[in-house]
Amino acid sequence: MRHPADFPLADPFALPPLVSSSADPTTSTSPLVAAQAAPLTAIVAQDQGGVRLDQFWMGQAEDLGVARSRIQSWIKNGLALINGSPCLRPGRRLAPGDRLELRAAVPSPGLTPENRELRVLYHDDDLAILNKPADLVVHPAPGLNRGTLVHRLLHHFPELAGKQAGGMDTARPGIVHRLDKDTTGLLAVALNEPARLRLASAFAAREVEKVYLALVHGRPRAEGVVDAPIGRHPTSKTRMAVTEKGGKPAHSAYRVLWTAPEDRFSLVQVRIASGRTHQIRVHMRHVGHPLLGDPTYCPASFTGWQDEVPGLSALLRRPMLHAWKLGLPHPRTHQPLSFVLPPPKDMLRVILAGSRTTQRVGLTGMPGCGKSLFLAELAALGLQTWSADKAVAELYQPRRDGWELLRRNFGDRFIPDPEGPVDKHALLNALRETPRLRRELEALIHPLARHHLESFWQTHRTHRVAAAEVPLLLETGWPSDFDLIVGLACDPDRRRNWLLTNRGWDANLLADVESWQWPEAKKIRACHLVVANPGTRDELARRARGLVDVLQWLRRQAVRRVLARITALVTPEQASDSNPA
């Protein structure tokens, strides 16, 4: 058993409660005075004038799960009264102050206690605080008379069905507020009728604080308020919507706590000042950021990125919504109680999986250090690889973009045959002789090579890691394209001898090419990791395997950092609205 923290609540919000049928409808704070076992009575509020009779009762009785067609049938059978007189027309428009009665209420089924798990966080003689799991309906409804949370409550708290229950609703004993079937988190239950009445009064007086955590598509602005009425969707009976007419007032205030890479989705806290059906789901959709995993209110246009993250779609089995914080006065002592419940594992798994991005590794080094061989070893180990030299060679193929630019800017100077290849020997000599020409050519070709690299990242965006060899990575100002830069170091004399012997370079060419790059010491210092080329292919392959292990370890560390970050945001010590992360 965990006892609540003892501190006052700020900005409490509440749901309008159901009150007993014996209450005076002229003084009740709720338009719905009686629940399932007794006739429903209500008074039409000022802002509900002009609403159809059937629409009014559909909205008032939405918690009962009654279809609009059934309500229309009751009305046509003379079971609806307006100011004491029967009305047989479902489409009758109502006037403010009309006194309504609906005599056909949903019959309360006989409830059988069920010995199934109930996660009780706190309880005493008057109150229980539960951790509701996903895929669990709170109370019975037409067509659902078993397997609900209420059935479990009756087993674990038999007093709810005993004499001490008093006049408690037999279909929903102890229930003072609800969570949707797939919403997880904190739920308060009254264990006797006096406690239920006091909690209902606290909800009506907005002495109850309710804050949710939600994962929503995209990055909303840092914080916002949604003040938009909610009612039945005009064309879909199973959905709710923001409506201009006939809707109930609904107020939600959200704040962004964290956003995933590439602004894929965000973790937001949502404080509600009302408790309409599907309120948070409808309001976040209304502002353009529907919940992840919500098949009802999230259009397919928002979900395309999910298929690019391996395994994510399989995790999104429900709308990502969790009742995170609950504060209320104790029904007997009036002591302020406050509870914070971190999100469930499935929500954390979605955060971690959805945060995954391709680990982009850049490989650089001086001429002759073995970059190409090392890249080949990484490819042999299953990494996706890219080479800047190969990309430029492709760009210089006839009629390709690099070839076209050379032809357009320099005529036949480097492409003597209008249909032939680039004369790379002439191009290299010109670059050595004219520094200005080298800078001009770099300004033409480097953007094309970088676009080629961006296409590579995009093509392999579902892979955990990819590597690109870029000799001038640091000199060209591309580090922002990479998560990690690896420098390949080699004994200077050995690599120079290799270039002179195997590439046919002379000392002057070697000096010129090295002058186009940073000094070796500066280049190596700028890298995140350095791999020494030992001089043999077998040993180089072993170093490649070692790098792959290091990269995997770094990815795991990144996951741990994300988990630690989210945990810090949602734990009781850090979950204060006065100092959001």
Side-chain angles (χ1 to χ4, degrees), residues 134 180 207 218 232 235 297 313-314 388 396 440 443 462 464 486 499 515 540 572:
D180 290 341
E207 296 171 354
R232 287 289 169 184
T235 60
Y297 297 104
S313 295
Y396 282 167
E440 183 179 351
T462 62
R464 295 296 291 119
V486 177
L499 288 169
S515 71
L540 193 65

Side-chain angles (χ1 to χ4, degrees), residues 263-324:
D263 291 350
R264 293 170 174 174
F265 64 96
S266 297
L267 173 68
V268 299
Q269 69 170 51
V270 187
R271 182 190 297 273
I272 60 173
S274 48
R276 309 308 176 200
T277 300
H278 302 170
Q279 176 173 326
I280 294 174
R281 297 162 66 187
V282 171
H283 271 176
M284 294 312 296
R285 171 66 184 94
H286 183 64
V287 296
H289 298 280
L291 269 63
L292 270 65
D294 192 340
T296 303
Y297 297 104
C298 183
S301 58
F302 284 88
T303 63
W305 66 271
Q306 294 174 187
D307 296 331
E308 300 176 4
V309 181
L312 180 60
S313 295
L315 293 173
L316 290 172
R317 298 176 180 177
R318 66 176 184 93
M320 289 290 107
L321 184 62
H322 173 72
W324 176 41

Side-chain angles (χ1 to χ4, degrees), residues 294-470:
D294 192 340
T296 303
Y297 297 104
C298 183
S301 58
F302 284 88
T303 63
W305 66 271
Q306 294 174 187
D307 296 331
E308 300 176 4
V309 181
L312 180 60
S313 295
L315 293 173
L316 290 172
R317 298 176 180 177
R318 66 176 184 93
M320 289 290 107
L321 184 62
H322 173 72
W324 176 41
K325 299 176 67 176
L326 179 64
L328 70 167
H330 190 277
R332 184 183 299 272
T333 67
H334 307 293
Q335 174 192 4
L337 308 179
S338 183
F339 302 87
V340 178
L341 181 64
K345 291 181 179 179
D346 68 335
M347 204 168 186
L348 294 176
R349 290 190 184 108
V350 168
I351 290 173
L352 295 179
S355 300
R356 289 178 181 172
T357 57
T358 302
Q359 187 182 29
R360 301 172 301 175
V361 179
L363 181 63
T364 193
M366 298 300 289
C369 70
K371 297 184 299 297
S372 297
L373 289 177
F374 194 70
L375 191 72
E377 294 295 342
L378 294 177
L381 294 171
L383 272 67
Q384 303 301 314
T385 59
W386 181 87
S387 167
D389 290 340
K390 290 183 179 180
V392 172
E394 290 181 15
L395 291 169
Y396 282 167
Q397 292 295 315
R399 300 300 177 186
R400 299 293 295 272
D401 290 345
W403 186 95
E404 294 285 1
L405 282 177
L406 287 178
R407 185 75 182 176
R408 187 181 308 144
N409 286 273
F410 303 105
D412 59 2
R413 181 178 178 183
F414 304 122
I415 307 177
D417 181 350
E419 300 298 328
V422 174
D423 186 342
K424 296 181 180 178
H425 182 73
L427 182 61
L428 177 61
N429 286 335
L431 296 178
R432 295 175 63 189
E433 293 170 359
T434 312
R436 179 185 58 79
L437 177 64
R438 177 174 60 83
R439 291 190 292 271
E440 183 179 351
L441 185 64
E442 288 177 348
L444 292 173
I445 300 301
H446 284 179
L448 295 178
R450 193 170 191 177
H451 178 72
H452 199 285
L453 175 60
E454 291 170 352
S455 297
F456 168 77
W457 297 137
Q458 182 66 16
T459 299
H460 300 289
R461 62 188 178 276
T462 62
H463 290 82
R464 295 296 291 119
V465 59
E469 175 207 356
V470 187

Side-chain angles (χ1 to χ4, degrees), residues 55 70 115 156 184 186 246 456 506 524:
Q55 290 177 334
R70 177 169 294 186
N115 184 9
H156 292 275
T184 59
L186 294 164
F456 168 77
D506 58 32
I524 292 300

Side-chain angles (χ1 to χ4, degrees), residues 7 23 26 35 41 76 83 105 128 137 154 165 173 186 190 213 245 275 323 370 381 394 447 449 499 524:
F7 60 86
T26 63
T41 61
K76 292 176 182 178
N83 298 322
V137 177
L154 290 173
L186 294 164
L213 293 176
K245 295 183 179 180
L381 294 171
E394 290 181 15
L499 288 169
I524 292 300

